[in-house]
Amino acid sequence: MRKNIVAGNWKMNTTLPEGLALAKGLNDALKNKTTNCDVIIGTPFTHLASVVAAIDTDKIGVAAENCADKEKGAYTGEVSAAMVASTGAKYVILGHSERRAYYHETPEILKTKVELALANGLTPIFCIGEVLAEREAGKHFEVVDEQIKGSLFNLSAEDFAKIILAYEPVWAIGTGKTATADQAEEIHAHIRATLAAQYGQEIADNCTILYGGSCNASNAKELFSKPDVDGGLIGGASLSVEKFLPIIEAFDK
Ligand code: PGA
C-alpha cells in the first residue's frame, strides 16, 4: 500500500546553525512518538550532510530541494544527484513551481533530473500543479497530465513506482489560499487515473500523492482525510517545530 508522508520544504530559508537547530528540534519532538506517516525534511544543499548526521534518519528522511541535470563536470555552482546521495539524503524535490518559473526548468530538463536522481538511488518528490489562469480556464487537469507525461512517462513501471508526486497548485503556494479538500481530492483522483492508464491500477494505487500549498495545522486533517490525498509538502509551516508537528499529527487517530 502507498505511504502517508508529511514532507517539509525549507526553500532558501535558515542559515546552517538555524537549520540544524530546527532539524534537532523536530528530531527531539519525534523521538518518543509513533507517527502514522513518514516524515521528510527538504533542506538547502549546504545543510544536508550536517542534518543527516544530527538526526535519526530512520525517523526523519532528508531531501535536497533540487539537483543538477548533468552527471558531473564543468558546471560551476551545480550540485549533482551523486553529490546529494553522498550526503546521506535519500530524497530530492524536483520540478517545484519556483524552479520551473524562476530557473526555467522545462519538462525535458526535469526528465533528465529525475533519471539522474533515480540512477543515484534518490527518491524524487516530483511537483506538478497549475497557475491561477490555468485553473480559471478549467485547464488544470490537462496541465498536470502534461507535466507528468513530459517528465515521467518515459520511466519503466519499476522506476515510476519509486516516484512520490506532489500536487501543488501554484496559486496556493505561500499565499495562505489553500485548495479546498474537495478540490484537492478531485485532482488527486484525476492524477491517479492518469497514472493507472499508463502503468496500471496497482502502480497508481501505490503512488503517494502529496498536496502542497498553504497546508497548515488547521487544514491538514481535512485535506489528509481525502482518499487520494496521501499527505503534504509543506513550505512555510515546516520552518518551525510548533507549526510542522501538528501537521504530522494530523495523521494521528
Ligand atoms: P507553502 O509552500 O506551504 O508555503 O505554501 C508549499 C511548497 O511550495 O512546497
PDB file of all heavy atoms in Angstrom, residues 7-11 93 96-98 127 166 168-170 172-177 211-216 232-239 247, ligand 1:
ATOM      1  N   ALA A   7       6.111  16.024   4.301  1.00  0.00           N
ATOM      2  CA  ALA A   7       7.453  16.461   3.917  1.00  0.00           C
ATOM      3  C   ALA A   7       7.551  17.977   4.027  1.00  0.00           C
ATOM      4  O   ALA A   7       6.652  18.698   3.596  1.00  0.00           O
ATOM      5  CB  ALA A   7       7.755  16.017   2.484  1.00  0.00           C
ATOM      6  N   GLY A   8       8.638  18.441   4.600  1.00  0.00           N
ATOM      7  CA  GLY A   8       8.881  19.885   4.677  1.00  0.00           C
ATOM      8  C   GLY A   8       9.760  20.331   3.526  1.00  0.00           C
ATOM      9  O   GLY A   8      10.608  19.576   3.055  1.00  0.00           O
ATOM     10  N   ASN A   9       9.528  21.527   3.064  1.00  0.00           N
ATOM     11  CA  ASN A   9      10.364  22.134   2.031  1.00  0.00           C
ATOM     12  C   ASN A   9      10.800  23.493   2.572  1.00  0.00           C
ATOM     13  O   ASN A   9      10.024  24.434   2.577  1.00  0.00           O
ATOM     14  CB  ASN A   9       9.542  22.294   0.736  1.00  0.00           C
ATOM     15  CG  ASN A   9      10.284  23.049  -0.339  1.00  0.00           C
ATOM     16  OD1 ASN A   9      11.498  23.280  -0.226  1.00  0.00           O
ATOM     17  ND2 ASN A   9       9.570  23.448  -1.389  1.00  0.00           N
ATOM     18  N   TRP A  10      12.041  23.522   3.063  1.00  0.00           N
ATOM     19  CA  TRP A  10      12.506  24.749   3.714  1.00  0.00           C
ATOM     20  C   TRP A  10      12.787  25.869   2.715  1.00  0.00           C
ATOM     21  O   TRP A  10      12.934  27.016   3.093  1.00  0.00           O
ATOM     22  CB  TRP A  10      13.774  24.464   4.518  1.00  0.00           C
ATOM     23  CG  TRP A  10      13.579  23.558   5.710  1.00  0.00           C
ATOM     24  CD1 TRP A  10      12.413  22.972   6.138  1.00  0.00           C
ATOM     25  CD2 TRP A  10      14.587  23.143   6.639  1.00  0.00           C
ATOM     26  NE1 TRP A  10      12.633  22.230   7.262  1.00  0.00           N
ATOM     27  CE2 TRP A  10      13.954  22.305   7.601  1.00  0.00           C
ATOM     28  CE3 TRP A  10      15.956  23.386   6.755  1.00  0.00           C
ATOM     29  CZ2 TRP A  10      14.669  21.725   8.659  1.00  0.00           C
ATOM     30  CZ3 TRP A  10      16.655  22.801   7.807  1.00  0.00           C
ATOM     31  CH2 TRP A  10      16.020  21.993   8.751  1.00  0.00           C
ATOM     32  N   LYS A  11      12.932  25.527   1.445  1.00  0.00           N
ATOM     33  CA  LYS A  11      13.280  26.513   0.403  1.00  0.00           C
ATOM     34  C   LYS A  11      14.590  27.211   0.771  1.00  0.00           C
ATOM     35  O   LYS A  11      15.437  26.592   1.397  1.00  0.00           O
ATOM     36  CB  LYS A  11      12.125  27.492   0.198  1.00  0.00           C
ATOM     37  CG  LYS A  11      10.793  26.751  -0.039  1.00  0.00           C
ATOM     38  CD  LYS A  11       9.689  27.627  -0.504  1.00  0.00           C
ATOM     39  CE  LYS A  11       8.427  26.782  -0.699  1.00  0.00           C
ATOM     40  NZ  LYS A  11       7.313  27.538  -1.255  1.00  0.00           N
ATOM     41  N   ILE A  93      13.557  16.871  -4.028  1.00  0.00           N
ATOM     42  CA  ILE A  93      12.371  17.551  -4.561  1.00  0.00           C
ATOM     43  C   ILE A  93      12.730  18.035  -5.967  1.00  0.00           C
ATOM     44  O   ILE A  93      13.748  18.703  -6.149  1.00  0.00           O
ATOM     45  CB  ILE A  93      11.978  18.747  -3.660  1.00  0.00           C
ATOM     46  CG1 ILE A  93      11.638  18.278  -2.244  1.00  0.00           C
ATOM     47  CG2 ILE A  93      10.811  19.533  -4.275  1.00  0.00           C
ATOM     48  CD1 ILE A  93      11.506  19.408  -1.206  1.00  0.00           C
ATOM     49  N   HIS A  96       9.700  21.694  -8.604  1.00  0.00           N
ATOM     50  CA  HIS A  96       8.911  22.668  -7.841  1.00  0.00           C
ATOM     51  C   HIS A  96       8.575  23.862  -8.738  1.00  0.00           C
ATOM     52  O   HIS A  96       9.388  24.267  -9.567  1.00  0.00           O
ATOM     53  CB  HIS A  96       9.695  23.116  -6.598  1.00  0.00           C
ATOM     54  CG  HIS A  96       8.839  23.877  -5.649  1.00  0.00           C
ATOM     55  ND1 HIS A  96       8.531  25.212  -5.837  1.00  0.00           N
ATOM     56  CD2 HIS A  96       8.187  23.485  -4.529  1.00  0.00           C
ATOM     57  CE1 HIS A  96       7.732  25.598  -4.855  1.00  0.00           C
ATOM     58  NE2 HIS A  96       7.501  24.575  -4.049  1.00  0.00           N
ATOM     59  N   SER A  97       7.396  24.435  -8.531  1.00  0.00           N
ATOM     60  CA  SER A  97       6.961  25.522  -9.423  1.00  0.00           C
ATOM     61  C   SER A  97       7.920  26.711  -9.371  1.00  0.00           C
ATOM     62  O   SER A  97       8.054  27.441 -10.354  1.00  0.00           O
ATOM     63  CB  SER A  97       5.549  25.974  -9.076  1.00  0.00           C
ATOM     64  OG  SER A  97       5.509  26.463  -7.763  1.00  0.00           O
ATOM     65  N   GLU A  98       8.595  26.900  -8.229  1.00  0.00           N
ATOM     66  CA  GLU A  98       9.568  28.008  -8.166  1.00  0.00           C
ATOM     67  C   GLU A  98      10.765  27.717  -9.065  1.00  0.00           C
ATOM     68  O   GLU A  98      11.324  28.625  -9.686  1.00  0.00           O
ATOM     69  CB  GLU A  98       9.999  28.231  -6.700  1.00  0.00           C
ATOM     70  CG  GLU A  98       8.851  28.852  -5.903  1.00  0.00           C
ATOM     71  CD  GLU A  98       8.831  28.495  -4.424  1.00  0.00           C
ATOM     72  OE1 GLU A  98       9.844  28.014  -3.888  1.00  0.00           O
ATOM     73  OE2 GLU A  98       7.761  28.696  -3.800  1.00  0.00           O
ATOM     74  N   CYS A 127       7.069  17.562  -8.278  1.00  0.00           N
ATOM     75  CA  CYS A 127       5.969  18.532  -8.095  1.00  0.00           C
ATOM     76  C   CYS A 127       5.307  18.890  -9.425  1.00  0.00           C
ATOM     77  O   CYS A 127       5.981  19.094 -10.439  1.00  0.00           O
ATOM     78  CB  CYS A 127       6.490  19.810  -7.474  1.00  0.00           C
ATOM     79  SG  CYS A 127       7.389  19.570  -5.941  1.00  0.00           S
ATOM     80  N   ALA A 166       3.830  15.327  -5.858  1.00  0.00           N
ATOM     81  CA  ALA A 166       3.251  16.389  -5.017  1.00  0.00           C
ATOM     82  C   ALA A 166       2.454  17.315  -5.921  1.00  0.00           C
ATOM     83  O   ALA A 166       3.028  17.966  -6.810  1.00  0.00           O
ATOM     84  CB  ALA A 166       4.345  17.157  -4.292  1.00  0.00           C
ATOM     85  N   GLU A 168       0.800  20.630  -6.330  1.00  0.00           N
ATOM     86  CA  GLU A 168       0.860  21.938  -5.679  1.00  0.00           C
ATOM     87  C   GLU A 168       0.306  23.008  -6.614  1.00  0.00           C
ATOM     88  O   GLU A 168       1.015  23.473  -7.511  1.00  0.00           O
ATOM     89  CB  GLU A 168       2.306  22.296  -5.343  1.00  0.00           C
ATOM     90  CG  GLU A 168       2.983  21.324  -4.408  1.00  0.00           C
ATOM     91  CD  GLU A 168       4.169  21.958  -3.696  1.00  0.00           C
ATOM     92  OE1 GLU A 168       5.100  22.413  -4.371  1.00  0.00           O
ATOM     93  OE2 GLU A 168       4.123  22.032  -2.475  1.00  0.00           O
ATOM     94  N   PRO A 169      -0.961  23.396  -6.430  1.00  0.00           N
ATOM     95  CA  PRO A 169      -1.481  24.484  -7.253  1.00  0.00           C
ATOM     96  C   PRO A 169      -0.680  25.755  -6.963  1.00  0.00           C
ATOM     97  O   PRO A 169      -0.533  26.133  -5.791  1.00  0.00           O
ATOM     98  CB  PRO A 169      -2.934  24.613  -6.795  1.00  0.00           C
ATOM     99  CG  PRO A 169      -3.014  23.944  -5.462  1.00  0.00           C
ATOM    100  CD  PRO A 169      -1.901  22.938  -5.410  1.00  0.00           C
ATOM    101  N   VAL A 170      -0.119  26.357  -8.002  1.00  0.00           N
ATOM    102  CA  VAL A 170       0.810  27.470  -7.802  1.00  0.00           C
ATOM    103  C   VAL A 170       0.123  28.631  -7.077  1.00  0.00           C
ATOM    104  O   VAL A 170       0.731  29.316  -6.253  1.00  0.00           O
ATOM    105  CB  VAL A 170       1.402  27.922  -9.164  1.00  0.00           C
ATOM    106  CG1 VAL A 170       2.362  29.088  -8.992  1.00  0.00           C
ATOM    107  CG2 VAL A 170       2.124  26.750  -9.834  1.00  0.00           C
ATOM    108  N   ALA A 172      -1.782  28.511  -4.693  1.00  0.00           N
ATOM    109  CA  ALA A 172      -1.932  28.228  -3.259  1.00  0.00           C
ATOM    110  C   ALA A 172      -0.599  28.251  -2.520  1.00  0.00           C
ATOM    111  O   ALA A 172      -0.574  28.204  -1.296  1.00  0.00           O
ATOM    112  CB  ALA A 172      -2.595  26.869  -3.064  1.00  0.00           C
ATOM    113  N   ILE A 173       0.513  28.347  -3.259  1.00  0.00           N
ATOM    114  CA  ILE A 173       1.827  28.252  -2.611  1.00  0.00           C
ATOM    115  C   ILE A 173       2.194  29.588  -1.958  1.00  0.00           C
ATOM    116  O   ILE A 173       2.303  30.600  -2.638  1.00  0.00           O
ATOM    117  CB  ILE A 173       2.914  27.834  -3.626  1.00  0.00           C
ATOM    118  CG1 ILE A 173       2.647  26.410  -4.115  1.00  0.00           C
ATOM    119  CG2 ILE A 173       4.299  27.933  -2.997  1.00  0.00           C
ATOM    120  CD1 ILE A 173       3.605  25.927  -5.188  1.00  0.00           C
ATOM    121  N   GLY A 174       2.347  29.558  -0.652  1.00  0.00           N
ATOM    122  CA  GLY A 174       2.788  30.743   0.091  1.00  0.00           C
ATOM    123  C   GLY A 174       1.781  31.875   0.088  1.00  0.00           C
ATOM    124  O   GLY A 174       2.108  32.994   0.467  1.00  0.00           O
ATOM    125  N   THR A 175       0.563  31.606  -0.322  1.00  0.00           N
ATOM    126  CA  THR A 175      -0.426  32.676  -0.459  1.00  0.00           C
ATOM    127  C   THR A 175      -1.443  32.670   0.674  1.00  0.00           C
ATOM    128  O   THR A 175      -2.236  33.600   0.797  1.00  0.00           O
ATOM    129  CB  THR A 175      -1.225  32.506  -1.772  1.00  0.00           C
ATOM    130  OG1 THR A 175      -1.837  31.193  -1.769  1.00  0.00           O
ATOM    131  CG2 THR A 175      -0.331  32.633  -2.985  1.00  0.00           C
ATOM    132  N   GLY A 176      -1.448  31.605   1.468  1.00  0.00           N
ATOM    133  CA  GLY A 176      -2.461  31.486   2.509  1.00  0.00           C
ATOM    134  C   GLY A 176      -3.787  30.988   1.945  1.00  0.00           C
ATOM    135  O   GLY A 176      -4.743  30.758   2.679  1.00  0.00           O
ATOM    136  N   LYS A 177      -3.830  30.821   0.642  1.00  0.00           N
ATOM    137  CA  LYS A 177      -5.028  30.340  -0.032  1.00  0.00           C
ATOM    138  C   LYS A 177      -4.845  28.837  -0.288  1.00  0.00           C
ATOM    139  O   LYS A 177      -3.908  28.446  -0.995  1.00  0.00           O
ATOM    140  CB  LYS A 177      -5.070  31.041  -1.396  1.00  0.00           C
ATOM    141  CG  LYS A 177      -6.411  31.494  -1.866  1.00  0.00           C
ATOM    142  CD  LYS A 177      -6.126  32.333  -3.094  1.00  0.00           C
ATOM    143  CE  LYS A 177      -7.322  32.574  -3.932  1.00  0.00           C
ATOM    144  NZ  LYS A 177      -6.927  33.188  -5.217  1.00  0.00           N
ATOM    145  N   TYR A 211      -0.311  16.719  -1.202  1.00  0.00           N
ATOM    146  CA  TYR A 211      -0.855  18.030  -1.535  1.00  0.00           C
ATOM    147  C   TYR A 211       0.085  19.094  -0.978  1.00  0.00           C
ATOM    148  O   TYR A 211       0.573  18.962   0.152  1.00  0.00           O
ATOM    149  CB  TYR A 211      -2.267  18.228  -0.934  1.00  0.00           C
ATOM    150  CG  TYR A 211      -2.665  19.683  -1.042  1.00  0.00           C
ATOM    151  CD1 TYR A 211      -3.151  20.189  -2.253  1.00  0.00           C
ATOM    152  CD2 TYR A 211      -2.449  20.566   0.014  1.00  0.00           C
ATOM    153  CE1 TYR A 211      -3.428  21.539  -2.395  1.00  0.00           C
ATOM    154  CE2 TYR A 211      -2.720  21.919  -0.121  1.00  0.00           C
ATOM    155  CZ  TYR A 211      -3.204  22.398  -1.324  1.00  0.00           C
ATOM    156  OH  TYR A 211      -3.446  23.741  -1.470  1.00  0.00           O
ATOM    157  N   GLY A 212       0.309  20.153  -1.719  1.00  0.00           N
ATOM    158  CA  GLY A 212       1.108  21.278  -1.217  1.00  0.00           C
ATOM    159  C   GLY A 212       0.491  22.597  -1.600  1.00  0.00           C
ATOM    160  O   GLY A 212      -0.119  22.723  -2.673  1.00  0.00           O
ATOM    161  N   GLY A 213       0.651  23.581  -0.738  1.00  0.00           N
ATOM    162  CA  GLY A 213       0.115  24.919  -0.996  1.00  0.00           C
ATOM    163  C   GLY A 213      -0.651  25.409   0.215  1.00  0.00           C
ATOM    164  O   GLY A 213      -1.813  25.064   0.393  1.00  0.00           O
ATOM    165  N   SER A 214       0.056  26.154   1.084  1.00  0.00           N
ATOM    166  CA  SER A 214      -0.560  26.715   2.304  1.00  0.00           C
ATOM    167  C   SER A 214      -1.225  25.649   3.159  1.00  0.00           C
ATOM    168  O   SER A 214      -2.272  25.895   3.762  1.00  0.00           O
ATOM    169  CB  SER A 214      -1.529  27.840   1.948  1.00  0.00           C
ATOM    170  OG  SER A 214      -0.851  28.876   1.262  1.00  0.00           O
ATOM    171  N   CYS A 215      -0.633  24.482   3.182  1.00  0.00           N
ATOM    172  CA  CYS A 215      -1.125  23.432   4.072  1.00  0.00           C
ATOM    173  C   CYS A 215      -0.602  23.756   5.472  1.00  0.00           C
ATOM    174  O   CYS A 215       0.558  24.099   5.643  1.00  0.00           O
ATOM    175  CB  CYS A 215      -0.594  22.084   3.588  1.00  0.00           C
ATOM    176  SG  CYS A 215      -1.212  20.694   4.535  1.00  0.00           S
ATOM    177  N   ASN A 216      -1.475  23.685   6.463  1.00  0.00           N
ATOM    178  CA  ASN A 216      -1.065  24.024   7.824  1.00  0.00           C
ATOM    179  C   ASN A 216      -1.852  23.202   8.833  1.00  0.00           C
ATOM    180  O   ASN A 216      -2.666  22.343   8.453  1.00  0.00           O
ATOM    181  CB  ASN A 216      -1.238  25.531   8.071  1.00  0.00           C
ATOM    182  CG  ASN A 216      -2.671  25.981   7.835  1.00  0.00           C
ATOM    183  OD1 ASN A 216      -3.616  25.308   8.241  1.00  0.00           O
ATOM    184  ND2 ASN A 216      -2.839  27.116   7.175  1.00  0.00           N
ATOM    185  N   GLY A 232       1.284  15.761   2.797  1.00  0.00           N
ATOM    186  CA  GLY A 232       1.518  17.122   2.325  1.00  0.00           C
ATOM    187  C   GLY A 232       2.980  17.436   2.099  1.00  0.00           C
ATOM    188  O   GLY A 232       3.873  16.824   2.698  1.00  0.00           O
ATOM    189  N   LEU A 233       3.201  18.395   1.188  1.00  0.00           N
ATOM    190  CA  LEU A 233       4.509  19.019   1.026  1.00  0.00           C
ATOM    191  C   LEU A 233       4.339  20.435   1.578  1.00  0.00           C
ATOM    192  O   LEU A 233       3.545  21.220   1.057  1.00  0.00           O
ATOM    193  CB  LEU A 233       4.940  19.032  -0.446  1.00  0.00           C
ATOM    194  CG  LEU A 233       6.318  19.642  -0.750  1.00  0.00           C
ATOM    195  CD1 LEU A 233       7.431  18.971   0.050  1.00  0.00           C
ATOM    196  CD2 LEU A 233       6.638  19.550  -2.241  1.00  0.00           C
ATOM    197  N   ILE A 234       5.084  20.706   2.638  1.00  0.00           N
ATOM    198  CA  ILE A 234       4.811  21.873   3.461  1.00  0.00           C
ATOM    199  C   ILE A 234       5.950  22.881   3.355  1.00  0.00           C
ATOM    200  O   ILE A 234       7.099  22.534   3.657  1.00  0.00           O
ATOM    201  CB  ILE A 234       4.669  21.455   4.955  1.00  0.00           C
ATOM    202  CG1 ILE A 234       3.865  20.145   5.123  1.00  0.00           C
ATOM    203  CG2 ILE A 234       4.106  22.599   5.785  1.00  0.00           C
ATOM    204  CD1 ILE A 234       2.452  20.189   4.629  1.00  0.00           C
ATOM    205  N   GLY A 235       5.641  24.101   2.940  1.00  0.00           N
ATOM    206  CA  GLY A 235       6.666  25.146   2.861  1.00  0.00           C
ATOM    207  C   GLY A 235       6.740  25.914   4.168  1.00  0.00           C
ATOM    208  O   GLY A 235       7.371  25.480   5.131  1.00  0.00           O
ATOM    209  N   GLY A 236       6.067  27.044   4.208  1.00  0.00           N
ATOM    210  CA  GLY A 236       6.136  27.961   5.357  1.00  0.00           C
ATOM    211  C   GLY A 236       5.984  27.277   6.703  1.00  0.00           C
ATOM    212  O   GLY A 236       6.769  27.540   7.632  1.00  0.00           O
ATOM    213  N   ALA A 237       5.011  26.403   6.809  1.00  0.00           N
ATOM    214  CA  ALA A 237       4.724  25.776   8.114  1.00  0.00           C
ATOM    215  C   ALA A 237       5.724  24.679   8.483  1.00  0.00           C
ATOM    216  O   ALA A 237       5.598  24.065   9.540  1.00  0.00           O
ATOM    217  CB  ALA A 237       3.301  25.217   8.121  1.00  0.00           C
ATOM    218  N   SER A 238       6.740  24.440   7.628  1.00  0.00           N
ATOM    219  CA  SER A 238       7.764  23.455   8.009  1.00  0.00           C
ATOM    220  C   SER A 238       8.946  24.138   8.686  1.00  0.00           C
ATOM    221  O   SER A 238       9.905  23.480   9.085  1.00  0.00           O
ATOM    222  CB  SER A 238       8.246  22.663   6.793  1.00  0.00           C
ATOM    223  OG  SER A 238       9.016  23.472   5.928  1.00  0.00           O
ATOM    224  N   LEU A 239       8.874  25.471   8.816  1.00  0.00           N
ATOM    225  CA  LEU A 239      10.020  26.211   9.341  1.00  0.00           C
ATOM    226  C   LEU A 239      10.009  26.371  10.857  1.00  0.00           C
ATOM    227  O   LEU A 239      10.876  27.033  11.416  1.00  0.00           O
ATOM    228  CB  LEU A 239      10.113  27.592   8.655  1.00  0.00           C
ATOM    229  CG  LEU A 239      10.516  27.521   7.183  1.00  0.00           C
ATOM    230  CD1 LEU A 239      10.377  28.881   6.508  1.00  0.00           C
ATOM    231  CD2 LEU A 239      11.951  27.013   7.031  1.00  0.00           C
ATOM    232  N   ILE A 247       0.951  19.124  11.864  1.00  0.00           N
ATOM    233  CA  ILE A 247       0.611  18.616  10.526  1.00  0.00           C
ATOM    234  C   ILE A 247       0.920  17.115  10.459  1.00  0.00           C
ATOM    235  O   ILE A 247       0.145  16.330   9.918  1.00  0.00           O
ATOM    236  CB  ILE A 247       1.360  19.409   9.416  1.00  0.00           C
ATOM    237  CG1 ILE A 247       1.031  20.908   9.537  1.00  0.00           C
ATOM    238  CG2 ILE A 247       1.012  18.882   8.043  1.00  0.00           C
ATOM    239  CD1 ILE A 247       1.772  21.804   8.566  1.00  0.00           C
TER     240      ILE A 247
HETATM  241  P1  PGA B   1       3.687  26.682   1.306  1.00  0.00           P
HETATM  242  O1  PGA B   1       4.686  26.053   0.231  1.00  0.00           O
HETATM  243  O2  PGA B   1       3.303  25.580   2.258  1.00  0.00           O
HETATM  244  O3  PGA B   1       4.478  27.772   1.970  1.00  0.00           O
HETATM  245  O4  PGA B   1       2.507  27.202   0.555  1.00  0.00           O
HETATM  246  C1  PGA B   1       4.487  24.766  -0.264  1.00  0.00           C
HETATM  247  C2  PGA B   1       5.574  24.438  -1.249  1.00  0.00           C
HETATM  248  O5  PGA B   1       5.955  25.317  -2.033  1.00  0.00           O
HETATM  249  O6  PGA B   1       6.089  23.300  -1.286  1.00  0.00           O
END
